[in-house]
Amino acid sequence: MNWDDVTLIVLASCGLVTLLLTQINDVLDKVPQTIRALRRIRRALRDGTESEGHEASPEAGDR
């Protein structure tokens, strides 16, 4: 193994680490957005089941 090989390995390793850190940063940036979206979905599902329950009550009274 000569110095050219060592230099290439070091450069490739630095590039790999940079790519990995960039990807981790992107994922961590999207975590708050994902949590907000999940809360919105849960709220919509909860509100949707309550409104369906209210719609079912008048139909039961008509019988």
Side-chain angles (χ1 to χ4, degrees):
M1 181 180 282
N2 57 19
W3 285 107
D4 290 337
D5 294 338
V6 173
T7 304
L8 287 176
I9 290 172
V10 169
L11 286 174
S13 300
C14 289
L16 182 64
V17 168
T18 301
L19 180 64
L20 182 64
L21 290 176
T22 303
Q23 293 298 316
I24 290 172
N25 187 33
D26 288 344
V27 169
L28 291 177
D29 283 343
K30 293 180 182 179
V31 168
Q33 295 172 358
T34 305
I35 291 172
R36 273 188 238 112
L38 288 172
R39 287 180 180 166
R40 239 183 290 135
I41 290 170
R42 288 176 54 199
R43 190 179 318 121
L45 289 173
R46 183 180 59 236
D47 293 344
T49 54
E50 288 177 3
S51 64
E52 290 174 6
H54 292 300
E55 290 174 2
S57 296
E59 291 175 4
D62 289 342
R63 290 184 191 168

